Amino acid sequence: MSALPEPSPLDAELRLPEHLQAILGSIETLHAEEVAPREQALKHRLSDESQYLDTDGKLHPEIIEARRQIMAAAGAAGVYSAHLPKRLGGGGLGRTDMIYVEEKVYGYGCRLNPALLSWSEGATPRLLYCHEHQREQFTDPLVRGQKTSLHAVTESGAGSNLFDMKTHAVKRGDDWVLSGAKAYITNAFDADVAQVLAMTHPGHGRRSFTYFMFDTREYLSKGYRIGKVYQTMFGDGYTGEIFFDDMVLPESAIIGEPGQGFDIAVMSFNYTRMRRAGMCSGWSKYLIEQSLDRVKSRQIGDKPLGANQGIQWMLADMYVDWLQARSLSLEVARAIDSPGPWYRLPRPKDEIRKICALKVSNDESFYRVADRALQVHGGYGVMRNTEVNKLFQIARNLRIPGGTDEVQRTTIAETLGLRFEASKSAPASAGKTRQ
Ligand SMILES: Cc1cc2nc3c(=O)[nH]c(=O)nc-3n(C[C@H](O)[C@H](O)[C@H](O)COP(=O)(O)OP(=O)(O)OC[C@H]3O[C@@H](n4cnc5c(N)ncnc54)[C@H](O)[C@@H]3O)c2cc1C
């Protein structure tokens, strides 16, 4: 008889709230019934980089299909959109509760399990600004995990500073004509729905931008083009460029109101940053558990690797990083939940500062955990097809998207009073334009 696996020493520290037992139980069931069998069936692709991607360097269609099936199953079980309000068909959970949900999902590693929860390609907070006429075609299927979307803000010449954006839309009669190009877009090749930020009212400060939403397949013959796949360091086959060649869109394609794009974008970025909490906690926990297993089972000479103090201290440092980031995340989440739902605008300034701190803390703690996890795994950790290696690469990447960690620091400093008037030679918009 094989021995039962040892319980993780970290599990006891999660202190899962009683009222979340049902959703956490659903995640366990979904993992056992929807995720694990598909991971087993696609083992050859998930553990071999050359089979993970198709011959054109894009994510293999079998993996895309498996992810879509998991998303839809998680949607039907009320997990996928647990973060959205009930009026949209979501679960109505606050940020504190979502940390427990996220860390449960990401605690399984980085194969197909992340598809259980909506990320930037799914039920994003931009849906809160969709109109009733967009509900049947876009909002409902995105909330249920039956469709996926892309979010297009960044351009090759405009990343951290939104006011560098060249993509623009101009009014022509009752329609808008959208022109430009977007870079580094997640889910560029498979998205059913595009959500695009464009400059519509140049010179109007925060009111300069508008969001548009359209069906990607419908517009492929009407000026929408998909470009190359970027070969990212973590080999996702999922990030690409898109173009708008004078696309004509009706007024009904607008999310929110004309000129409201900046505020919706900032709210979306804040959500992405808050989302780091459970994601980084779950993945860090997973790496600590993998590393504990490794150093206990790996014999070096006459003793386990983990008997060496140098290795023990690395594990201790990983634990300290995990605990620190997780504690800060829960503290920030409680502060966000207390004045009302996280999506209600405007938000207090000190809350923005805390959300920036949350992103920096989680990105950097998780990166240190992943670095040490790779180190204690030795040569095995360097192999590209291992999950430890993949998570290390993902951890390095996370410090860039969602507003880089430097930009978060700048916002923290500014909200502490270190905001200075731009010099006369600087653009008028300087100082209040970053992601
Ligand atoms: C894998 C991946 C997926 C992505 N997915 C999407 C997506 O789905 N949709 C989307 O719209 N975008 C996406 N992005 C783009 C991402 O949001 C941008 O890369 C990011 O905002 C940084 O912009 P940039 O690359 O232009 O860097 P830049 O703005 O050129 O910044 C370069 C460096 O300068 C630093 N810097 C910039 N301004 C300041 C400042 N004021 N003070 C100090 N330092 C500063 C930055 O921190 C960074 O280190 C993705 C990126 C990656 C890598």
Side-chain angles (χ1 to χ4, degrees):
M1 202 169 70
S2 64
L4 286 172
E6 270 184 57
S8 159
L10 303 186
D11 277 336
E13 288 190 37
L14 296 182
R15 288 188 220 286
L16 304 174
E18 201 52 43
H19 69 276
L20 294 179
Q21 289 308 324
I23 189 165
L24 297 174
S26 297
I27 293 170
E28 278 176 23
T29 307
L30 283 165
H31 187 262
E33 293 177 1
E34 303 289 339
V35 179
R38 291 189 171 88
E39 287 183 344
Q40 186 57 33
L42 291 172
K43 201 172 165 195
H44 58 297
R45 297 208 180 284
L46 295 170
S47 59
D48 182 346
E49 209 176 44
S50 65
Q51 299 206 44
Y52 187 73
L53 303 181
D54 206 352
T55 46
D56 57 4
K58 294 177 188 161
L59 187 57
H60 196 280
E62 286 176 15
I63 298 179
I64 294 173
E65 183 51 30
R67 285 172 51 89
R68 279 186 177 263
Q69 288 167 354
I70 293 168
M71 285 176 192
V79 168
Y80 185 70
S81 293
H83 60 296
L84 287 180
K86 291 191 171 166
R87 70 177 165 82
L88 284 186
L93 295 189
R95 275 311 308 160
T96 314
D97 287 345
M98 278 309 297
I99 290 181
Y100 298 103
V101 169
E102 289 157 3
E103 64 188 2
K104 177 86 181 172
V105 166
Y106 289 92
Y108 289 113
C110 67
R111 289 169 185 263
L112 296 177
N113 49 300
L116 288 170
L117 278 184
S118 157
W119 181 224
S120 62
E121 71 277 48
T124 67
R126 289 176 293 287
L127 298 185
L128 290 157
Y129 288 86
C130 287
H131 301 282
E132 202 48 41
H133 67 262
Q134 295 165 324
R135 187 145 187 165
E136 195 181 327
Q137 188 182 6
F138 299 115
T139 314
D140 286 348
L142 284 168
V143 168
R144 294 187 198 122
Q146 296 162 341
K147 281 188 177 177
T148 67
S149 61
L150 61 80
H151 181 215
V153 175
T154 307
E155 301 175 2
S156 58
S160 300
N161 188 341
L162 293 185
F163 282 80
D164 294 331
M165 188 178 289
K166 295 278 184 287
T167 296
H168 59 279
V170 288
K171 195 92 201 235
R172 197 174 66 191
D174 290 340
D175 297 324
W176 290 85
V177 181
L178 177 68
S179 317
K182 298 286 184 183
Y184 310 134
I185 303 306
T186 302
N187 199 24
F189 312 105
D190 190 48
D192 307 292
V193 182
Q195 296 172 344
V196 181
L197 188 67
M199 182 76 84
T200 47
H201 301 79
H204 284 74
R206 293 177 77 97
R207 305 287 302 170
S208 302
F209 303 88
T210 302
Y211 264 109
F212 295 89
M213 178 165 67
F214 56 88
D215 182 304
T216 52
R217 290 180 186 88
E218 180 190 340
Y219 278 88
L220 271 178
S221 56
K222 301 180 189 170
Y224 178 61
R225 250 184 325 122
I226 303 173
K228 70 175 179 203
V229 57
Y230 294 100
Q231 294 306 325
T232 62
M233 65 186 287
F234 57 108
D236 58 327
Y238 204 48
T239 311
E241 58 179 359
I242 55 176
F243 301 89
F244 322 106
D245 301 334
D246 299 337
M247 281 176 60
V248 180
L249 288 163
E251 184 85 11
S252 60
I254 288 176
I255 302 178
E257 305 302 328
Q260 206 184 2
F262 187 92
D263 289 341
I264 299 175
V266 169
M267 189 256 225
S268 298
F269 298 141
N270 281 335
Y271 172 74
T272 305
R273 288 164 197 153
M274 292 187 269
R275 187 79 164 57
R276 287 291 198 275
M279 174 190 269
C280 292
S281 171
W283 274 338
S284 294
K285 176 175 173 288
Y286 176 81
L287 285 174
I288 293 170
E289 288 164 357
Q290 294 294 308
S291 300
L292 282 171
D293 281 353
R294 176 79 180 181
V295 304
K296 283 191 217 165
S297 60
R298 175 94 172 146
Q299 286 290 125
I300 304 270
D302 59 353
K303 56 184 183 183
L305 178 58
N308 295 291
Q309 193 180 52
I311 295 291
Q312 292 174 356
W313 285 12
M314 277 203 258
L315 265 300
D317 285 340
M318 289 160 78
Y319 169 77
V320 172
D321 266 325
W322 172 71
L323 183 64
Q324 248 169 217
R326 183 173 191 270
S327 306
L328 178 141
S329 298
L330 286 167
E331 171 70 24
V332 172
R334 282 185 210 109
I336 290 167
D337 286 340
S338 66
W342 54 267
Y343 45 83
R344 194 175 293 157
L345 296 177
R347 308 303 299 186
K349 227 181 222 174
D350 68 312
E351 184 185 294
I352 302 298
R353 179 164 68 233
K354 288 194 177 88
I355 292 171
C356 293
L358 182 152
K359 181 173 192 280
V360 172
S361 166
N362 276 285
D363 286 359
E364 296 185 354
S365 300
F366 173 44
Y367 179 68
R368 286 191 297 270
V369 168
D371 184 41
R372 290 192 171 105
L374 192 149
Q375 192 68 14
V376 301
H377 277 78
Y380 176 81
V382 179
M383 298 303 116
R384 289 180 70 94
N385 293 337
T386 62
E387 247 184 313
V388 171
N389 189 284
K390 184 121 186 166
L391 280 169
F392 172 73
Q393 293 168 40
I394 289 174
R396 183 61 190 86
N397 165 66
L398 286 182
R399 291 162 55 189
I400 305 283
T404 67
D405 288 356
E406 292 70 34
V407 168
Q408 307 312 301
R409 285 187 165 87
T410 301
T411 304
I412 292 171
E414 284 181 351
T415 61
L416 289 172
L418 296 177
R419 167 172 266 176
F420 301 99
E421 284 306 309
S423 71
K424 285 203 175 89
S425 59
S429 56
K432 50 189 168 194
T433 61
R434 287 177 297 276
Q435 279 207 21

